[in-house]
């Protein structure tokens, strides 16, 4: 009898403890929900339970393709190009796990890239053609422009890291698991459960604008460079843009990031040759450098455009989730980001300062236009080659975003899949890719203003994708793991980025209106 009474009392105490615990947890979850920082929902908890099960099975020897790369990276990390990477979204709207595939798929056969190849892609993005506009930024910003080149490098490196951190969550064993696949997945998770899809739509639109504008700028600068290289030819800048676009049509046949990485490597080599030629010429005129022209005050009207130019020259965040997911060793991502941004900061700062000291107030929007005719022709030919080699990376990324959002979004896709059963691209899908190349040409022909377009894009989407959204998403998704200085950095970046974006956008629009009103050409 005593044993029975003791057993009943134990059961009642246990039930009471569970009830109190559940009520407390509900109150805490409700408080966080009202603040906007959601605690784990039932669906999310189920997703983490599935992660734990998969992790256990993997450690027992079962090769689950959703959790590969853990032994090399020090923690379990999913592959970025697998379908199963997006099914652990917080909004619970992603496809179900595809880790139990019995046969190989097209995605599984995509080749992985090394950290060096990923570094070439990032270097190509942040050390690309847009360095040509940096001396123009120094013209209107002086020493503050130089400071911003360094500041933007530090901030963009940091936001790139925290953006990738938002792809991961810790499971019950404290192991980081890649639960999201893309920038869009992060945005959807941040807006769940109230608006589970709106975040992804906003990021998709911003990504497409950023990528397509980058492609347009490559066409604009190609036409500009060829026109200034051969001024005696009876060929207009618009006609040169058409010739450059004809060379870019094969981009429509690109299939994976491995091929793009090869273009990026050649592009980086061309970039170093260009820098050496321009800096060598500037050094030959070192005695004429106008140090007194580098000022501490700024042109209030023009400097916000310079901010957009500097920010846009560092934009790579939209490529990073795909790059990190395609890396053979994702654990090397942070190291890769650091050396690429340090190298970019040093080279950009030196290039911008030396070029501005050489030409001072005569500095043009595209700095190679200041070179003597003979040297300009050689340098511009390298630059055109670099522009044509740089075009595939943003074009491939833009195509990938459009295909995933419009043609491959499961049952929610607006149009039928543009790929056949064997993974081959359908003819009408190829036609849409060619149409995108032609669209970049038309925009380059009608708006041939390199620096103003660069400033506008940097202010509109560059600041949003590089400063505002990564810091906001990091605060929202990683709130429980952040230290006070992380919170301070994220809030400061969000505020400063917002101010720069608004001012740069307004002044870039004013500059474009003025250019069309008075028929000003680059």
């Amino acid at each position: 009898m005593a044993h029975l009474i003791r057993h009943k009392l134990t059961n009642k105490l246990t039930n009471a403890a569970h009830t109190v615990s559940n009520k407390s947890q509900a109150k805490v979850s409700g408080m966080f929900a009202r603040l906007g920082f959601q605690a784990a929902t039932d669906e999310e908890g189920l997703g983490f339970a599935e992660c734990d099960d998969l992790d256990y099975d993997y450690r027992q020897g079962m090769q689950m393709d959703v959790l590969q790369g853990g032994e090399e990276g020090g923690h379990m990390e999913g592959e970025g190009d697998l379908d199963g990477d997006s099914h652990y979204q917080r909004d619970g709207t992603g496809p179900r796990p595809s880790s139990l595939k019995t046969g190989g798929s097209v995605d599984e056969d995509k080749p992985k890239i090394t950290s060096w190849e990923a570094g070439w892609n990032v270097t190509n993005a942040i050390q690309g053609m847009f360095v040509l506009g940096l001396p123009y930024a120094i013209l209107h910003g002086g020493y503050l422009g130089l400071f911003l080149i360094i500041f933007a490098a530090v901030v963009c490196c940091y936001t790139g890291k925290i953006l990738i951190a938002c792809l991961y969550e810790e499971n019950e064993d404290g192991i980081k698991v890649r639960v999201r696949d893309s920038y869009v997945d992060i945005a959807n998770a941040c807006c769940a459960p109230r608006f589970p899809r709106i975040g992804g739509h906003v990021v998709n639109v911003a990504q497409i604008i950023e990528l397509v504008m980058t492609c347009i700028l490559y066409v604009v600068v190609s036409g500009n460079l060829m026109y200034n290289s051969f001024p005696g030819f009876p060929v207009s800048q618009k006609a040169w843009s058409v010739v450059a676009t004809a060379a870019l049509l094969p981009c429509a046949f690109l299939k994976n990031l491995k091929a793009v990485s090869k273009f990026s490597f050649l592009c980086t080599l061309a970039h170093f040759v260009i820098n050496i030629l321009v800096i060598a010429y500037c050094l030959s005129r070192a005695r004429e450098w106008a140090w007194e022209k580098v000022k501490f005050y700024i042109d209030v009207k023009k400097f916000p455009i310079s901010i957009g130019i500097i920010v846009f020259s560092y934009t790579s965040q939209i490529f990073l989730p795909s790059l990190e997911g395609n890396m053979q060793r994702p654990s090397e991502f942070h190291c890769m980001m650091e050396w690429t941004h340090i190298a970019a900061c040093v080279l950009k700062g030196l290039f911008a300062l030396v070029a501005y000291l050489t030409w001072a107030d005569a500095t043009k929007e595209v700095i190679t236009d200041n070179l003597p005719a003979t040297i300009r022709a050689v340098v511009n030919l390298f630059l055109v080659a670099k522009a044509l080699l740089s075009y595939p990376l943003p074009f491939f990324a833009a195509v990938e975003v459009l295909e995933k959002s419009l043609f491959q979004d499961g049952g929610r896709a607006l149009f039928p899949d543009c790929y056949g059963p064997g993974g081959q691209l359908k003819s009408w899908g190829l036609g849409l890719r060619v149409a995108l190349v032609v669209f970049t040409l038309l925009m380059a022909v009608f708006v041939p203003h390199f620096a103003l377009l660069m400033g506008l894009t940097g202010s509109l989407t560059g600041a949003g994708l590089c400063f505002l959204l990564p810091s906001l998403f990091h605060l929202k998704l990683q709130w429980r793991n952040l230290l006070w200085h992380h919170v301070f950095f994220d809030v400061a970046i969000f505020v400063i980025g917002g101010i720069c974006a608004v001012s740069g956008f307004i002044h870039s629009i004013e500059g474009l209106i003025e250019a069309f009103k008075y028929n000003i050409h680059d």
Side-chain angles (χ1 to χ4, degrees):
M1 179 63 70
H3 176 73
L4 181 62
I5 294 174
R6 189 164 52 251
H7 179 68
K8 289 183 177 181
L9 287 174
T10 302
N11 286 340
K12 288 183 178 181
L13 290 173
T14 302
N15 292 335
H18 282 303
T19 302
V20 172
S21 176
N22 291 336
K23 288 182 178 180
S24 301
Q25 184 176 358
K27 289 180 179 180
V28 173
S29 299
M31 180 182 68
F32 274 105
R34 287 191 293 272
L35 291 174
F37 302 95
Q38 287 86 17
T41 60
D42 291 339
E43 292 181 353
E44 185 179 4
L46 179 60
F48 282 128
E50 291 172 353
C51 282
D52 293 337
D53 291 340
L54 290 176
D55 180 46
Y56 175 78
D57 291 337
Y58 180 83
R59 284 185 272 112
Q60 294 299 317
M62 296 180 66
Q63 300 300 315
M64 313 300 287
D65 51 72
V66 76
L67 291 175
Q68 295 203 3
E71 294 180 357
E72 296 178 351
H75 55 272
M76 297 298 181
E77 294 173 345
E79 294 179 351
D81 57 349
L82 294 176
D83 294 338
D85 287 336
S86 59
H87 68 271
Y88 299 128
Q89 300 172 27
R90 287 192 173 209
D91 59 352
T93 58
R96 295 310 304 161
S98 56
S99 56
L100 298 175
K101 296 175 184 173
T102 56
S105 68
V106 176
D107 287 339
E108 289 175 331
D109 294 335
K110 286 184 178 180
K112 292 292 186 177
I113 60 176
T114 65
S115 57
W116 280 101
E117 289 174 325
W120 291 128
N121 279 304
V122 173
T123 300
N124 184 27
I126 66 176
Q127 197 108 287
M129 294 294 298
F130 311 114
V131 71
L132 300 177
L134 293 180
Y136 186 76
I138 303 299
L139 172 65
H140 298 298
Y143 286 110
L144 185 56
L146 284 174
F147 169 75
L148 280 177
I149 291 175
I150 301 172
F151 177 76
V154 174
V155 172
C156 287
C157 182
Y158 172 77
T159 56
K161 291 179 181 179
I162 63 175
L163 182 67
I164 296 303
C166 292
L167 296 173
Y168 291 85
E169 296 280 2
E170 288 187 359
N171 61 13
E172 292 182 355
D173 295 332
I175 300 173
K176 287 189 176 181
V177 182
R178 200 176 201 263
V179 297
R180 302 178 188 96
D181 183 46
S182 64
Y183 211 143
V184 172
D185 292 343
I186 296 172
N188 283 334
C190 198
C191 294
R194 297 174 184 173
F195 307 102
R197 302 286 295 172
I198 192 171
H201 293 322
V202 171
V203 169
N204 264 338
V205 170
Q207 282 183 326
I208 292 170
I209 293 174
E210 173 95 0
L211 293 166
V212 173
M213 286 296 291
T214 303
C215 294
I216 293 169
L217 282 168
Y218 284 134
V219 179
V220 169
V221 79
S222 296
N224 177 283
L225 292 169
M226 292 300 293
Y227 177 73
N228 286 285
S229 298
F230 306 100
F233 280 31
V235 182
S236 66
Q237 178 177 333
K238 295 179 180 179
W240 280 118
S241 296
V242 174
V243 173
T245 305
L248 294 171
L249 286 175
C251 291
F253 297 91
L254 287 173
K255 293 183 178 180
N256 55 59
L257 204 60
K258 189 78 173 179
V260 177
S261 298
K262 296 178 182 178
F263 288 116
S264 297
F265 176 71
L266 296 174
C267 184
T268 304
L269 293 179
H271 175 77
F272 284 118
V273 172
I274 294 163
N275 276 5
I276 290 171
L277 291 174
V278 174
I279 292 177
Y281 176 80
C282 293
L283 291 176
S284 69
R285 296 181 54 186
R287 294 182 179 180
E288 304 173 17
W289 283 358
W291 285 98
E292 69 279 1
K293 294 291 185 178
V294 186
K295 47 190 177 295
F296 285 96
Y297 65 92
I298 62 174
D299 185 336
V300 177
K301 185 175 181 180
K302 297 288 186 180
F303 184 64
I305 301 175
S306 301
I307 296 175
I309 292 173
I310 293 171
V311 170
F312 188 71
S313 70
Y314 280 106
T315 54
S316 64
Q317 273 71 1
I318 49 181
F319 310 118
L320 296 183
S322 177
L323 281 177
E324 193 265 355
N326 280 280
M327 288 177 65
Q328 294 174 357
R329 297 182 178 180
S331 61
E332 297 178 354
F333 176 81
H334 280 205
C335 180
M336 180 272 294
M337 285 291 289
E338 289 167 2
W339 68 257
T340 52
H341 281 74
I342 290 173
C345 177
V346 172
L347 293 176
K348 284 181 179 182
L350 289 176
F351 182 87
L353 179 61
V354 169
Y356 175 73
L357 289 173
T358 304
W359 289 286
D361 293 338
T363 301
K364 297 183 179 180
E365 291 187 4
V366 181
I367 195 61
T368 54
D369 291 345
N370 289 102
L371 292 169
T374 53
I375 301 177
R376 184 197 315 159
V378 175
V379 173
N380 283 358
L381 287 176
F382 274 100
L383 283 169
V384 170
K386 177 175 170 52
L388 298 180
L389 290 170
S390 299
Y391 187 95
L393 179 60
F395 177 81
F396 179 80
V399 167
E400 198 172 45
V401 171
L402 288 171
E403 287 180 350
K404 285 184 178 180
S405 57
L406 298 179
F407 302 98
Q408 296 176 318
D409 195 16
R412 296 183 294 272
L414 297 177
F415 304 101
D417 197 345
C418 55
Y419 288 93
Q424 72 277 9
L425 185 65
K426 296 179 180 178
S427 57
W428 61 269
L430 179 62
L432 291 177
R433 290 188 174 198
V434 174
L436 182 59
V437 176
V438 174
F439 174 76
T440 61
L441 167 64
L442 295 176
M443 288 295 294
V445 166
F446 289 108
V447 193
H449 298 280
F450 178 74
L452 292 175
L453 278 176
M454 187 174 169
L456 176 64
T457 308
S459 301
L460 179 63
T461 59
L465 291 171
C466 293
F467 292 171
L468 304 180
L469 294 182
S471 56
L472 180 63
F473 293 165
H474 193 230
L475 285 170
K476 187 73 177 293
L477 297 177
Q478 303 291 326
W479 176 259
R480 286 169 284 183
N481 302 322
L482 297 182
L483 301 176
W484 69 269
H485 60 275
H486 293 144
V487 176
F488 174 78
F489 289 154
D490 290 349
V491 172
I493 290 170
F494 185 85
V495 173
I496 295 172
I499 295 172
C500 293
V502 173
S503 61
F505 176 75
I506 292 173
H507 288 87
S508 296
I509 290 292
E510 290 178 350
L512 283 172
I513 293 173
E514 184 178 346
F516 280 103
K517 184 177 180 180
Y518 298 104
N519 196 25
I520 300 173
H521 299 284
D522 287 350

